Structure formats: structure tokens, C-alpha cells
Amino acid sequence: MFLGTHTPRLDEKGRLILPAKFRDGLAGGVVITKGQERCLYVFPMPEFQRIAGQLREAPVTNKAARAYSRVFFASAHDEVPDKQGRVTIPAHLREYASLGRDLVVIGASTRVEIWDKQSWDDYLSASEEEFADIEEGVLPGGL
């Protein structure tokens, strides 16, 4: 399970050093793809394969499933982190997420998310107040 918030920097070659806490879970290979709210999702390969299996089960006649699958898979980039725990984020994904040099990398349970620092700060500011209000809708009965 991936937990926590980290603030690495993107180097001039578009590489990110994965937080040390996440490296063991991602050492076998990752898939980086577009996420919601203009962040990037980083999945360990087994989790990506599980999600891919679920998407394969969706009927091809389902327009929303087709549209989601196209974007999800077309933007995906697979890679094995190097010995220093670095992954290269392709230009098209850096552009999608508006990644600058300063990043925020969060653990989101079964995936990691990569955010531009300013985008993350803006997202948190906009959603902090809603956090308490949405708990019951997400977790029926609350914690």
C-alpha cells in the first residue's frame, strides 16, 4: 500500500527519483498514465494488469468504456525504475499534467500519483473543505 506525501524534483531529462518508501513496491516495473484532475497515475505492473483485465471485461458496445480505455492505454508508458529508483516521465505526460520542476508524489493506496506542486496545492485548497462532507458518501456509515 502506498501512503504519504513526498516532494521530489524533476531533473532536466524528465526523470523523477521515486520516494525511497515506494521503491520496493515499484521495482518490478511501473506503468505511468494519465490520471484524473490532470495528475499522473503510477501503477505497479500487477495492479495495472488487474485494471486492464477489468477494462477488457467491459462491453465494447459501452461508449464510455471505449473512450476511457483509449485514453488510459494510449497514454500509458511502461518502464522499470533504474538502480537509483528513477523513472523517465515522457514529454506528453509531463505536458498533460503541466509538470514543472517541483513535484508532489502521493501514495494513493494501490497507486502513486504525480502532481505539479502548484496544481496539488490548488487541488488541496479547493477540496479540503469538502473532505469532511464527502466521507459519508465514500464510506457509508463513516469511519
Side-chain angles (χ1 to χ4, degrees):
M1 180 178 291
F2 300 104
L3 303 170
T5 302
H6 307 271
T7 53
R9 300 188 96 190
L10 199 61
D11 74 12
E12 62 281 345
K13 295 180 181 178
R15 294 177 303 192
L16 163 70
I17 298 175
L18 295 167
K21 189 175 179 181
F22 296 164
R23 288 184 200 159
D24 285 346
L26 301 173
V30 301
V31 176
I32 306 169
T33 192
K34 291 179 178 179
Q36 271 66 47
E37 291 85 33
R38 294 241 172 221
C39 74
L40 300 179
Y41 289 165
V42 181
F43 295 102
M45 188 59 73
E47 178 65 6
F48 184 82
Q49 290 169 337
R50 184 190 67 77
I51 293 166
Q54 287 181 320
L55 289 170
R56 273 193 305 271
E57 291 175 15
V60 80
T61 55
N62 182 316
K63 186 176 181 178
R66 284 194 318 271
Y68 186 83
S69 290
R70 285 178 183 136
V71 172
F72 188 76
F73 291 115
S75 65
H77 168 77
D78 61 322
E79 175 169 0
V80 175
D82 69 13
K83 290 179 180 152
Q84 295 174 331
R86 294 180 301 194
V87 292
T88 300
I89 301 173
H92 74 280
L93 291 174
R94 292 194 310 264
E95 184 178 317
Y96 167 79
S98 301
L99 298 184
R101 190 154 163 73
D102 295 321
L103 305 178
V104 173
V105 175
I106 66 166
S109 185
T110 60
R111 70 177 182 275
V112 171
E113 294 182 0
I114 301 170
W115 291 76
D116 174 75
K117 184 175 182 336
Q118 187 60 56
S119 297
W120 175 250
D121 291 344
D122 293 346
Y123 175 79
L124 272 185
S125 293
S127 60
E128 284 275 316
E129 288 182 28
E130 298 170 8
F131 181 69
D133 296 336
I134 62 175
E135 177 188 318
E136 189 145 332
V138 175
L139 296 170
L143 291 176

